[in-house]
Amino acid sequence: MSSPAAVRSPEIALPPTALRRSREAGAELAAGAKGGTGGGAGGGAGEKASTEEKVGAGTGAGADVRSGSAVGASLWWALAGAAVVLCIVLHVVVAQSAVAPRTPWDEIHPLQIARMLSGDHDVPKLSGSGYYPGWAILMTPIWWFTHDPATVYRAAIILGNVIGVATILPLALSGRHLGMSTPQAIAVAGLAMCMPGRIEPADYAMSEPLLMFCYAWAALGMLVLWKRPTWWRLALFVGAIAAAYLTHTRALALVLTAVVWLLFFTRRSVAKALVGVLALVASWWIVDRIASAINHRMLLTGSSKTDLAMQAILHAQPEALAKLLAGQSWAQVVGTAGLFALGFVVIVVWTLRELRTLRLGPGAFLFGLTVSTVAMSVVWWYQPEALWGKSFHGLEAWLYSRYIDQVAALVVIVAAGALLRRVSAPMIGIALVVFVVGAAAVVLKVAPHVPMWYGLGTNTAAVNSWQGMFPEHPFHRPLTPTLDNANRFWIWASLATAIALAALFVLRRFPRTAVALLLVGAAVMSLNANQDQQRRVPAKVGASLERADAASGDTGPLPVDVDLSCASSGLNRAEILNWSGFWFSPRTVTIADPSKGRPFTTELVISCKNGSTMKDLGARPVTGGSSYGYRLWVLPGSLQDQLAREGALAK
């Protein structure tokens, strides 16, 4: 049974932040007023909307949120077109280096799952903690047309980047429901998608673009469902969230936020709220079962993500969690030129406004999603070895931004929407003060202990724009940052972000100019964040395999075993195992571990370069060298004899 309010809600309205008239609007005011979008600056939640289309009324938007005059509209359309073109160009530029996987986990896992789902039954198991299959399902058709790994990878990159640019659509539609005109909404959506956190994944075949795409549709579903509850809008909301969870486990924060929000939604429509909750719970259960079955087929040891998360929760220290929270939040503000701080302040005010009326709408949803997502990222990266040990995650754990980047894009949309409403000076002032205080805490309490010399990657995309200030060599810790020492990055990044927020304060009455300058800033940050990523393909082992193929005289590639029984250092075994299964496709790769009942099945074996398990068997190394501490060996037999005659065996 639905309440009368379920037919149509009060308008979706940002908090009453617009206290002054935009100078840019000027002559546009009269033209915009004809569109019936005027209203007072307050626009309380109790006012009733006359039509669903007048989403900007009563929010202080007036003519300034709409494009207004013909000249104003033309300028906004030009800015919208520039934003879309810029987004495309940035994706293309960053993707140029993507010729092979950067990581044998986050990229090769989904690629191999896609290969298995395509019907290939010879996909070897993988080393890792497990991945959800949403992105793999989308890549599955690629394997129907080719098994060349380089071609598959490039196709996956193109697919991901097309999805990334297409995300502008649902974000722009959300902007429309927040009271923006069409060109304004497109420009703002393009701005959000040009930030480093959204551009840097363009040279990885990871699930990030698809996950952002799902989050954008989920946000749109939430907005339209709140405005007018219908079964189709509920289906969009639930379906997008289920798709996000199918893509990555961290979307659990989105699922939980949506469940809680729908429980409060019973004030609008009891039936739709309860059906939505049941559908989300069912989706969560089904997705977990699907992912569990796939990971059981694909993993050597089974998924361990839940165990790692529980260990972090049970053993976490409050002080360490607070430092992680400060570091990761600071990174998001830096990576969005201050918009994350402004947007979150607006969301907090929005939520408080909704709480006063006991109608928890879009503000409360975005608040819950932001808080739960940040909390999940902080808890997940509470890993003592990464934080205080010598793990290669030592830098990214403190500045990890990838788990929050999707939500950050939504917060940027809110911040830009507030700018279009001529955000008040106190609102930006609060954001600036909060950031300055938080930055001071980070510089003094977090920065001195972070190993800045460890490598950057897409996990730290929000701060990669400052990579030129990161030291190449270790320094003695703790080292408090100054303007000119090896740890100076923290000071300069904080100053630049504070200046950006101050500039927004100055430009608050010139929203079009502010958005244009933010676009330029986003492009500069994303280009500076673009890294020359190493693609460490096992080329030397691959060359050895090609020599063996040529010596055999067979028409197809010879099968090869990967020896897991030899002792290797660090992550070498996991890396060579995952790389071999993908990069040597369509060659049949089999896992061998004689000590555990998995005998060698072929004459060719990829084993440790020291031959600890090979020499006693009479195996000899094939020329070509080693990759990841492994090289190709050939067991006694006709192939070894042929390779010896051709001089293709190393001494």
Side-chain angles (χ1 to χ4, degrees), residues 380-608:
W380 177 254
W381 280 103
Y382 182 81
Q383 299 177 19
E385 179 62 24
L387 297 175
W388 300 289
K390 296 183 178 179
S391 167
F392 64 93
H393 291 301
L395 168 61
E396 64 182 25
W398 291 104
L399 294 173
Y400 203 91
S401 64
R402 184 161 66 93
Y403 280 12
I404 310 173
D405 284 336
Q406 282 79 22
V407 173
L410 303 179
V411 177
V412 166
I413 296 290
V414 172
L419 287 173
L420 293 179
R421 296 171 188 275
R422 304 168 319 283
V423 62
S424 66
M427 196 70 72
I428 298 181
I430 293 171
L432 179 57
V433 170
V434 169
F435 172 71
V436 169
V437 172
V442 168
V443 168
L444 295 176
K445 297 296 184 181
V446 177
H449 306 281
V450 178
M452 298 297 296
W453 52 88
Y454 283 107
L456 296 166
T458 191
N459 292 337
T460 56
V463 298
N464 288 357
S465 305
W466 297 89
Q467 58 184 309
M469 287 192 176
F470 281 63
E472 296 181 0
H473 306 290
F475 53 74
H476 179 73
R477 291 178 289 166
L479 178 63
T480 301
T482 65
L483 290 173
D484 58 357
N485 68 6
N487 214 13
R488 64 189 182 277
F489 146 72
W490 303 87
I491 293 282
W492 286 105
S494 296
L495 287 174
T497 306
I499 291 171
L501 280 168
L504 292 179
F505 179 89
V506 174
L507 294 171
R508 67 190 185 279
R509 299 177 68 184
F510 304 90
R512 189 169 54 240
T513 302
V515 172
L517 291 176
L518 284 167
L519 269 173
V520 174
V524 171
M525 288 193 299
S526 292
L527 290 174
N528 285 339
N530 187 23
Q531 296 180 299
D532 182 17
Q533 300 280 17
Q534 294 182 349
R535 312 282 168 167
R536 297 180 58 205
V537 301
K540 293 182 178 180
V541 172
S544 298
L545 284 167
E546 291 177 359
R547 286 191 177 90
D549 291 340
S552 72
D554 290 353
T555 56
L558 297 173
V560 64
D561 287 338
V562 177
D563 179 17
L564 298 187
S565 62
C566 68
S568 61
S569 60
L571 296 172
N572 285 347
R573 186 173 76 165
E575 290 173 315
I576 195 65
L577 172 61
N578 291 358
W579 267 110
S580 297
F582 173 71
W583 198 247
F584 299 145
S585 171
R587 186 187 307 273
T588 299
V589 177
T590 306
I591 296 173
D593 191 346
S595 63
K596 295 184 179 179
R598 296 175 179 170
F600 297 118
T601 60
T602 70
E603 293 180 89
L604 294 176
V605 181
I606 298 173
S607 187
C608 296

Side-chain angles (χ1 to χ4, degrees), residues 285-305:
W285 187 86
I286 293 170
V287 167
D288 271 357
R289 301 288 82 74
I290 293 173
S292 178
I294 290 175
N295 284 323
H296 178 75
R297 158 64 181 86
M298 295 299 298
L299 296 180
L300 273 176
T301 58
S303 178
S304 60
K305 288 186 180 292

Side-chain angles (χ1 to χ4, degrees), residues 64-141:
D64 303 313
V65 177
R66 300 301 181 179
S67 295
S69 69
V71 174
S74 297
L75 290 173
W76 273 113
W77 275 114
L79 196 57
V84 174
V85 171
L86 182 61
C87 184
I88 294 172
V89 170
L90 289 173
H91 276 85
V92 171
V93 169
V94 172
Q96 292 305 301
S97 63
V99 296
R102 170 69 177 81
T103 163
W105 291 282
D106 290 12
E107 292 182 286
I108 288 181
H109 267 252
L111 286 163
Q112 288 291 77
I113 292 174
R115 181 180 169 191
M116 184 270 294
L117 294 176
S118 74
D120 189 334
H121 302 296
D122 294 325
V123 183
K125 289 183 179 290
L126 298 161
S127 174
S129 59
Y131 290 81
Y132 276 37
W135 174 226
I137 291 171
L138 214 58
M139 292 189 292
T140 296

